[in-house]
Amino acid sequence: MKIVVLRERKKDELRVAVTPDAVRKYIAAGAVITVETGAGSTAGVSDAEYEAAGAVIAADAFACLGEADIILKVQPPDNKELMLMREGALLVGMLDPYGQRDMLNAYNLKKLSAFALELLPRISRAQAMDVLSSQSNLAGYRAVIDAVVASGKVVPMMMTAAGTVAPAKALVLGAGVAGLQAIATAKRLGAVVSAFDVRPAVKEQVESLGAKFIEVPAEESGETQGGYAKEMSEDYKRKQSQLIHDTIKKQDIVISTALIPGRPAPVLITEAMVKDMKKGAVIVDLAAASGGNCPLTEQDKMVVKHGVILIGLSNMPSRVAVDASQLYSRNLYNFVSTLLIGKEKKLDVKWDDELVTGTLLTKDGATVHKGFV
């Protein structure tokens, strides 16, 4: 079984799919691991560390893809990489199927078995493989750090001989994994934190972190059976908009994380709200890649609109690439190990396993995932 780890080529992607610790695990499972030279350099891992773990270093993608049984990636492959992959190989990574549907045809032309880890079902067996949770956790942390740096304001209350500095006020929109970590990070730094979510069930989690939960009184639930947020009624949206508008006027930092899988990000922060915010306040829009929770957000840019700083960086986990790579690598190994069957750990995929059917996009030249057929 030959596994290849490629250097990520997408702009601003600093993570790597496999770290040396995972290399040792794959080798113990009977695999031969080839790592493209420089693959880990932006994540703090040298070629020498990979070699010490037992990996073979390849000069480039040409030298390692032709015979690969499994290709491990963070981002979807580019056209050059696809051309070099052999027919029937397994491709595993965060393949962004909603944003890059056209890639499914390319995978089919190469008859790849392409697994998108973002689609893992929310079951107990999948928790150790949950790339969305591990990476969103880091995104929530980094969002607060970037907001604090951009704001130029001290976060905790400080009492000095020259007077008292009031603590910063932070609002987190969306209390999923990223939002909860943003709440915890802002609270640890000393901010006065409040949070909003359409799912009343997260109120207890928000309050347990020391934040105030603001909510719209409503009978409808904002949560799907899978635990994700869903789109709400027009009446709810009107009440929600007014609540956020009233709250956002007082904030120094706003972290917005609201996403609906497969849909454009909901608009939570209107231009009118931005106009009413404090001058110098900061919005970090973690939904920038899906259109943004604020229409003024510009993807992968930091801009100033109406005196408010808007940060729309779409790959926050890459900004903490060392730890993001470590977590992603563990998630990835836990998933790939389910594809290795029997005591000898040979590649023999159980195609009817719910982890496989939940993530498999293409197989044998056809799109097989029910969400994309």
Side-chain angles (χ1 to χ4, degrees):
M1 178 176 57
K2 297 181 179 180
I3 298 177
V4 164
V5 181
L6 293 176
R7 175 174 58 85
E8 297 296 322
R9 288 170 168 78
K10 186 176 180 180
K11 182 183 177 183
D12 298 327
E13 183 52 76
L14 306 180
R15 293 170 291 180
V16 66
V18 175
T19 58
D21 285 345
V23 166
R24 297 183 182 92
K25 293 180 180 179
Y26 285 117
I27 291 174
V32 174
I33 296 280
T34 301
V35 178
E36 184 179 1
T37 186
S41 61
T42 54
V45 185
S46 67
D47 287 352
E49 289 175 280
Y50 280 119
E51 287 184 304
V56 177
I57 302 299
D60 52 37
F62 285 97
C64 59
L65 276 176
E67 298 181 354
D69 297 306
I70 303 176
I71 300 105
L72 303 180
K73 293 268 298 164
V74 178
Q75 298 280 355
D78 62 20
N79 290 330
K80 175 185 174 182
E81 292 168 335
L82 272 173
M83 288 175 60
L84 296 172
M85 294 178 191
R86 71 169 182 83
E87 285 194 359
L90 274 62
L91 170 66
V92 188
M94 292 190 290
L95 303 183
D96 187 21
Y98 293 115
Q100 300 195 33
R101 284 177 180 259
D102 58 326
M103 290 296 291
L104 272 62
N105 291 329
Y107 301 152
N108 285 330
L109 287 173
K110 296 292 290 189
K111 297 184 178 179
L112 299 176
S113 294
F115 296 86
L117 294 185
E118 307 99 308
L119 302 178
L120 274 165
R122 286 199 159 184
I123 57 176
S124 57
R125 287 177 58 211
Q127 288 181 357
M129 312 166 193
D130 189 350
V131 295
L132 287 183
S133 289
S134 69
Q135 302 304 296
S136 294
N137 201 2
L138 294 171
Y141 162 80
R142 181 68 202 208
V144 174
I145 301 302
D146 283 356
V148 170
V149 171
S151 74
K153 180 175 173 54
V154 171
V155 178
M157 182 178 71
M158 290 188 177
M159 300 181 71
T160 74
T164 300
V165 177
K169 293 182 179 179
L171 171 65
V172 178
L173 300 176
V177 174
L180 290 172
Q181 182 56 247
I183 292 167
T185 302
K187 192 67 181 175
R188 282 195 296 267
L189 291 174
V192 176
V193 186
S194 55
F196 169 82
D197 197 287
V198 298
R199 301 165 297 163
V202 303
K203 178 179 180 180
E204 185 177 346
Q205 293 173 282
V206 168
E207 292 178 341
S208 72
L209 294 171
K212 178 183 177 182
F213 187 69
I214 60 174
E215 58 187 320
V216 176
E219 295 181 359
E220 60 183 305
S221 172
E223 187 171 8
T224 66
Q225 289 184 342
Y228 295 99
K230 71 176 185 180
E231 192 164 7
M232 306 297 285
S233 69
E234 291 303 317
D235 180 60
Y236 182 95
K237 289 179 182 178
R238 282 191 294 271
K239 295 177 181 177
Q240 167 189 288
S241 182
Q242 187 59 54
L243 176 65
I244 293 174
H245 197 158
D246 292 342
T247 306
I248 210 169
K249 296 175 183 178
K250 309 168 188 176
Q251 306 302 313
D252 301 294
I253 292 170
V254 178
I255 310 295
S256 185
T257 73
L259 288 167
I260 300 173
R263 301 283 298 277
V267 173
L268 300 182
I269 306 170
T270 64
E271 184 170 4
M273 294 180 193
V274 175
K275 288 180 178 179
D276 283 346
M277 290 180 70
K278 296 179 181 180
K279 304 306 178 186
V282 180
I283 297 171
V284 181
D285 194 341
L286 290 181
S290 297
N293 293 142
C294 178
L296 300 182
T297 300
E298 295 185 26
Q299 185 175 347
D300 293 322
K301 293 182 180 180
M302 183 170 72
V303 297
V304 179
K305 302 285 181 72
H306 305 298
V308 174
I309 302 165
L310 291 104
I311 299 175
L313 303 179
S314 58
N315 191 353
M316 280 292 181
S318 185
R319 293 171 65 76
V320 280
V322 173
D323 290 314
S325 297
Q326 289 283 354
L327 296 178
Y328 182 77
S329 177
R330 294 170 197 164
N331 291 150
L332 194 57
Y333 173 78
N334 291 334
F335 176 78
V336 172
S337 65
T338 68
L339 309 179
L340 312 177
I341 308 301
K343 292 182 179 179
E344 295 181 359
K345 295 295 182 183
K346 293 182 178 180
L347 180 58
D348 184 12
V349 181
K350 286 187 176 180
W351 299 107
D352 60 347
D353 188 307
E354 61 185 322
L355 295 176
V356 172
T357 59
T359 56
L360 184 63
L361 294 172
T362 62
K363 181 177 181 287
D364 297 332
T367 300
V368 297
H369 195 284
K370 62 183 181 181
F372 300 90
V373 174

